[in-house]
Amino acid sequence: MKTIKKKIPKFKSTDEEIEFWDKNNATDFFNFQNSEKISFPNLKPSTKMISLRLPEALLERLKTLANKNDVPYQSLIKILLSEKVNEEFKKVG
């Protein structure tokens, strides 16, 4: 089994490197058979802005709850939504 088939060139710029990887396959340069899984727990996931209409009473309750927990209300909404989604996924397997 071959480990590295080709040598990666030195790049003069990021654009040159991007162009190179757009045209080449990483499997020609790296052996992924012995790669290790790693995690990056401190990376923030990318987010997307959405518009969500909520009843005013619910929004006020969320803001009050967030204030009591000393967190921004939008962060609290994300936390609660994430917890509920995870809970529902566990139910359906």
Side-chain angles (χ1 to χ4, degrees), residues 58-90:
L58 176 58
L59 184 57
E60 288 305 315
R61 291 182 71 202
L62 284 163
K63 286 181 177 182
T64 301
L65 187 59
N67 189 37
K68 288 181 179 182
N69 287 296
D70 198 31
V71 296
Y73 78 94
Q74 291 180 343
S75 295
L76 178 65
I77 291 171
K78 287 186 273 187
I79 291 166
L80 295 174
L81 185 58
S82 177
E83 288 174 354
K84 186 62 178 177
V85 167
N86 288 338
E87 182 182 307
E88 290 298 316
F89 265 101
K90 286 179 184 175

Side-chain angles (χ1 to χ4, degrees), residues 15-61:
D15 289 337
E16 186 179 311
E17 184 173 2
I18 291 169
E19 185 177 335
F20 175 83
W21 290 116
D22 280 344
K23 295 177 181 176
N24 291 279
N25 190 324
T27 58
D28 292 337
F29 297 87
F30 298 100
N31 178 3
F32 291 102
Q33 294 292 329
N34 299 323
S35 60
E36 296 179 31
K37 284 191 174 188
I38 60 171
S39 66
F40 299 97
N42 297 324
L43 290 180
K44 292 183 179 181
S46 59
T47 60
K48 182 173 185 173
M49 186 183 303
I50 64 167
S51 176
L52 180 65
R53 295 186 186 279
L54 299 174
E56 287 183 23
L58 176 58
L59 184 57
E60 288 305 315
R61 291 182 71 202

